[in-house]
Amino acid sequence: MSDVPVIGVLALQGDVREHLAALAAAGADARPVRRRHELDAVDGLVIPGGESTTISKLVDIFELREPIDKRIAAGMPVYGSCAGMIMLATEVLDGRADQRGFDGIAMTVRRNAFGRQVDSFEASVEIAGVDGEPFHAVFIRAPWVERVGAGVEVLGRVSEGPAAGRVVAVRQGNLVATSFHPELTGDRRLHRYFVDLVRAA
């Protein structure tokens, strides 16, 4: 791999353009991924926010589930934000019965835990391993992590308000997930963190 890692954004649904722009600003060669050959060409993958049940269905329609499962098992770094966090979880509460993810991170995630769209909010979140002030985190119909299994590192919790203490950022090996949307702010530190993770992998 060159010093500029190739990082794909799963471009089936959700805030794809914002992640592509954030990754490029963080020093990656960022590309949309919709097909198997596009997945084969990347060093890491971002699963964006959107609608997790829709993404789950489209992953099957585009025949990407097995290839992504295999790449995750082989150690490919993946970052999931919001719906992407749900897609990486081994267990989802309040999801649909036919909803399937990638079972990457040993965690239980509650879908829409913070409420509906009208309950969207912003809060400060400190992220372990990311220097500087706390993140100004944007939560939109966001999940939270109810339980983590062995080997899962909690990177961040909500620090104030009614959701104080809730886990909203985790890492297990080369897999990272957040409840919030760093791509919707100008803060590129989390994308740089992921770019560095891909570079190291």
Side-chain angles (χ1 to χ4, degrees):
M1 188 198 311
S2 75
D3 203 43
V4 180
V6 179
I7 300 180
V9 178
L10 189 62
L12 304 179
Q13 193 256 350
D15 42 357
V16 175
R17 282 180 309 176
E18 293 86 349
H19 272 295
L20 289 169
L23 287 165
D29 176 353
R31 306 176 183 180
V33 170
R34 292 186 193 87
R35 302 292 180 189
R36 171 70 180 267
H37 70 273
E38 294 168 337
L39 178 68
D40 292 342
V42 303
D43 304 308
L45 184 68
V46 171
I47 304 174
E51 218 294 309
S52 60
T53 52
T54 302
I55 293 171
S56 174
K57 288 177 183 171
L58 289 171
V59 162
D60 288 326
I61 290 169
F62 282 80
E63 298 180 344
L64 283 170
R65 184 174 301 281
E66 184 184 6
I68 291 174
D69 280 341
K70 284 183 175 175
R71 290 293 306 275
I72 289 174
M76 176 180 70
V78 180
Y79 166 50
S81 66
C82 197
M85 170 183 263
I86 295 168
M87 291 296 294
L88 285 173
T90 51
E91 183 182 17
V92 177
L93 305 176
D94 295 337
R96 286 174 44 140
D98 59 349
Q99 186 173 339
R100 290 174 56 219
F102 298 116
D103 293 343
I105 299 177
M107 62 180 172
T108 300
V109 168
R110 185 171 296 279
R111 191 168 166 265
N112 294 344
F114 290 103
R116 299 170 302 161
Q117 196 91 9
V118 293
D119 300 311
S120 300
F121 70 103
E122 301 176 17
S124 295
V125 178
E126 287 191 37
I127 304 294
V130 178
D131 293 334
E133 70 237 25
F135 268 85
H136 182 76
V138 177
F139 296 85
I140 303 170
R141 288 180 61 203
W144 66 44
V145 180
E146 298 235 334
R147 291 185 291 275
V148 297
V152 179
E153 177 187 3
V154 174
L155 297 180
R157 298 174 185 268
V158 177
S159 57
E160 61 214 11
R166 289 294 184 182
V167 174
V168 292
V170 295
R171 176 177 175 181
Q172 183 172 7
N174 286 334
L175 307 179
V176 179
T178 64
S179 301
F180 55 90
H181 292 265
E183 74 283 0
L184 298 183
T185 70
D187 192 335
R188 300 301 180 227
R189 285 177 295 159
L190 204 50
H191 286 85
R192 282 198 295 271
Y193 174 90
F194 184 63
V195 170
D196 288 342
L197 174 63
V198 176
R199 205 177 270 129

